Amino acid sequence: MHTTHTSLLTPLNLVSPPAARTSGSIAVVWDKPEVSGDVACYRVYVNDVIHGICTAADYTVTGLAPAQEYKVHICAVTAAGEVSLPSNVIIVSTKPEGELFDITVFGAVEGGEVLNTAAIQAAIDVCTAGGMVYVPAGVFLSGAIFLKSSMTLFIEKGGVLLGSAEPADYPLMTYRWEGREQLCYASLVNTQECSGGGRLKDITIAGGGKIDANGAALFKAEMAEAKGFRGRAVCLRSTDDVYLKDITVRQSPAWCVHLIYCNQVTANNVSIYTKNDEHGRRYADVFNGDGLNPDSSSDIYIFNSMIASQDDCIAIKSGRDEEGRRAGIPSENIRITNCRFKSGFGVAIGSEMSGGVRNVTVSDCTFEDVYSIGTVKAPRGRGAVIENIVYEDCTLRNYSLEHEDCQWFRGAINIDQFYSHKQYDLDRAEEVTDGTGIIRNITFRNIVLDTHAGNAVFMAGLPEQPLQNIVLENVSAIGKYGLKAYNIEGLAMNNVSVLSRLDEPYQFYNRIPGSLSGFQVSPQ
């Protein structure tokens, strides 16, 4: 075979994401080469020997020895057999083998009828640094459990951690609920605040098993008792170096996985079901069923994962209104790649974003019967800045008519500063205050979408604070309705084609004369 090395095909910026290591595996991700359209696959080399081949820009190296150092690099290969120059080389070490603490040794009984909270918590409490709390195959009923630093919760394939349906099994705690610190029922899997304001670190939740929060039953019970807001399936707070790997999380009474003030987080091969189970059966009486929510959290990698959500699939948040601005902790440096979304509302930013959100990339993701690829939402009162957001190389096909455009969701591409308002006045400016949010530097690139539900593209800024520097590049879209662009300063449209089934393909309006400028609309 003829082999040609070319720098334009070289994979870029190879890294092992934060915490993405176990005693037997290392996960790596990289940026696609400059000429990515010619790449058929990637070769992954470990210690200069081919370990495997993949088509996505992430790979999990398995079968490794504990506490060993490994050298990793990547090469791209074209369909014609050309092999690129190697990527940068990284040196990564696996974790040492930790001590194992089987919950059945501590009295846990499978079957889903005996409450095992105390037994599981006892295993966690005595788990040594670097150790593993092991949930074997079977259904283990539990109330709220609390993880600690330097441990792994490993749920074996065929194992289920099933949440109790009794609110009494979930003590009341202070969590963020929709952006404010409020009294909530504990989640099924939690962390507790450290004494003295310290932080937890190095927590892994892994295995081929399931965390099932029993949300349909628990939702009803918590709503009826109403001592606090609903808990989540998993809620980790003030924790650094979190690894979620090969785990299924489902049926939460509210948001499914909630990360509050967490840094250096990796989610690899995680499946989340908050609307239907794996067989398509609908969970009853659950709403606010977001999938995975980073909240004032940073340095996050989410890849090779699937979310089928009742609400936002991923919602990036940072607190609400004055309280969120006072805390002032942004969500930033977030990379979402090679993910599949099968219901819900795509990757959202906001609406609770009062600590700011910046530096987010969503790429190489597919959206099937999902309402939107991306929603950026910052209504009046929130304040702060959302900036430097890129959605690229994504496809959406939405033939579902379950949802129509409304105040909560207005487009398959959606940037909305009138979010939550049924009616809005594009001309009525209000005073600019600390509560006036700024949305700027948002790019949608290499997007193909077909939606039967509503607007293909909806972008609306405030008259007193227009959207700034919005880029649509290589976008091909068809919707029930077309593209609507209101109150934008600096809209660039390059190679954009929008078709509407029911109205005009393009509608532009601006309160500030001359602001909607510098763009080209591709011919139909």
Side-chain angles (χ1 to χ4, degrees):
M1 180 180 67
H2 176 67
T3 300
T4 301
H5 297 286
T6 168
S7 61
L8 294 178
L9 289 170
T10 302
L12 305 170
N13 304 318
L14 174 67
V15 298
S16 181
R21 291 164 291 282
T22 68
S23 61
S25 70
I26 295 167
V28 294
V29 301
W30 57 93
D31 294 336
K32 293 180 296 185
E34 294 180 46
V35 189
S36 60
D38 293 336
V39 173
C41 64
Y42 299 96
R43 293 178 183 171
V44 181
Y45 293 81
V46 178
N47 293 341
D48 297 319
V49 176
I50 294 178
H51 185 278
I53 295 174
C54 62
T55 56
D58 64 75
Y59 186 84
T60 303
V61 182
T62 58
L64 304 179
Q68 293 292 313
E69 188 176 82
Y70 292 91
K71 180 173 69 170
V72 182
H73 74 269
I74 313 293
C75 290
V77 183
T78 70
E82 295 178 313
V83 180
S84 76
L85 294 171
S87 69
N88 59 297
V89 175
I90 59 173
I91 306 297
V92 191
S93 296
T94 51
K95 288 184 173 181
E97 193 85 66
E99 193 174 355
L100 188 142
F101 298 82
D102 188 326
I103 63 170
T104 61
V105 174
F106 293 81
V109 178
E110 69 94 19
E113 295 182 359
V114 175
L115 190 67
N116 295 295
T117 313
I120 298 172
Q121 192 62 54
I124 293 169
D125 291 345
V126 302
C127 180
T128 52
M132 174 187 294
V133 173
Y134 179 76
V135 180
V139 178
F140 293 87
L141 185 69
S142 180
I145 59 173
F146 296 88
L147 307 183
K148 64 182 183 180
S149 290
S150 302
M151 68 161 288
T152 294
L153 175 65
F154 190 96
I155 304 175
E156 185 62 78
K157 185 176 181 179
V160 179
L161 184 66
L162 177 65
S164 162
E166 299 297 327
D169 295 323
Y170 302 90
L172 295 173
M173 302 177 63
T174 299
Y175 281 158
R176 261 191 180 167
W177 170 261
E178 295 190 337
R180 296 192 176 101
E181 297 286 343
Q182 304 190 70
L183 198 63
C184 300
Y185 290 96
S187 303
L188 177 54
V189 178
N190 310 261
T191 54
Q192 286 183 314
E193 291 292 307
C194 294
S195 59
R199 297 179 62 81
L200 299 173
K201 64 180 181 179
D202 190 19
I203 291 177
T204 296
I205 303 174
K210 300 174 182 179
I211 297 172
D212 186 331
N214 203 4
L218 189 57
F219 173 95
K220 291 180 181 179
E222 290 182 346
M223 292 290 284
E225 188 178 77
K227 291 182 178 179
F229 291 100
R230 286 169 282 143
R232 275 115 268 185
V234 177
C235 185
L236 306 182
R237 183 178 173 108
S238 301
T239 305
D240 299 324
D241 296 310
V242 174
Y243 193 20
L244 309 177
K245 180 179 184 292
D246 302 335
I247 198 77
T248 295
V249 189
R250 64 183 185 181
Q251 200 187 175
S252 177
W255 299 350
C256 207
V257 178
H258 192 186
L259 306 169
I260 309 170
Y261 308 135
C262 291
N263 302 320
Q264 299 163 204
V265 178
T266 297
N268 174 12
N269 193 31
V270 173
S271 297
I272 295 175
Y273 297 88
T274 71
K275 180 179 181 179
N276 306 312
D277 68 13
E278 296 91 324
H279 306 290
R281 295 182 293 244
R282 185 71 177 261
Y283 295 129
D285 301 316
V286 173
F287 62 88
N288 275 127
D290 289 2
L292 193 158
N293 288 11
D295 196 342
S296 289
S297 297
S298 63
D299 300 313
I300 295 173
Y301 290 74
I302 302 168
F303 56 91
N304 186 34
S305 294
M306 192 290 304
I307 300 178
S309 180
Q310 184 272 331
D311 205 311
D312 293 330
C313 295
I314 295 175
I316 300 169
K317 299 177 179 291
S318 62
R320 182 168 181 165
D321 299 343
E322 195 277 332
E323 181 180 309
R325 296 194 296 275
R326 184 173 62 249
I329 302 174
S331 281
E332 60 185 347
N333 307 328
I334 298 172
R335 184 184 193 267
I336 302 164
T337 57
N338 185 29
C339 289
R340 304 167 303 285
F341 302 100
K342 293 189 175 181
S343 62
F345 300 96
V347 179
I349 298 173
S351 63
E352 301 91 43
M353 38 59 66
S354 300
V357 178
R358 55 181 176 254
N359 306 334
V360 177
T361 297
V362 180
S363 67
D364 296 290
C365 294
T366 60
F367 301 77
E368 182 177 346
D369 284 338
V370 174
Y371 194 88
S372 55
I373 288 174
T375 294
V376 181
K377 43 191 177 181
R380 290 181 175 111
R382 300 293 192 258
V385 180
I386 297 174
E387 62 184 347
N388 306 334
I389 313 297
V390 176
Y391 295 82
E392 62 184 358
D393 300 317
C394 293
T395 61
L396 175 143
R397 181 185 63 81
N398 180 27
Y399 294 168
S400 170
L401 300 178
E402 180 178 359
H403 301 290
E404 296 286 336
D405 282 355
C406 68
Q407 70 267 36
W408 308 113
F409 30 85
R410 291 185 165 117
I413 291 175
N414 188 32
I415 308 174
D416 188 9
Q417 291 196 273
F418 294 100
Y419 173 78
S420 78
H421 295 278
K422 282 187 177 181
Q423 298 180 341
Y424 51 90
D425 188 340
L426 295 169
D427 289 315
R428 185 178 64 82
E430 296 189 4
E431 180 185 1
V432 175
T433 68
D434 288 344
T436 306
I438 297 171
I439 298 178
R440 64 191 179 203
N441 305 336
I442 314 294
T443 296
F444 286 85
R445 178 189 300 122
N446 304 334
I447 304 294
V448 177
L449 70 88
D450 180 3
T451 179
H452 287 247
N455 291 304
V457 181
F458 183 91
M459 304 179 291
L462 300 172
E464 71 271 19
Q465 184 61 75
L467 305 177
Q468 302 172 25
N469 302 327
I470 310 300
V471 176
L472 303 181
E473 181 178 358
N474 299 331
V475 173
S476 177
I478 180 170
K480 181 178 181 179
Y481 307 110
L483 176 150
K484 297 177 174 64
Y486 308 138
N487 293 335
I488 305 176
E489 289 184 351
L491 172 62
M493 295 172 59
N494 179 29
N495 193 28
V496 172
S497 174
V498 177
L499 295 174
S500 171
R501 293 181 171 93
L502 291 183
D503 67 354
E504 294 297 318
Y506 302 96
Q507 297 180 37
F508 300 100
Y509 179 82
N510 218 357
R511 179 177 181 272
I512 303 171
S515 293
L516 269 171
S517 60
F519 62 87
Q520 295 180 340
V521 177
S522 299
Q524 302 298 304

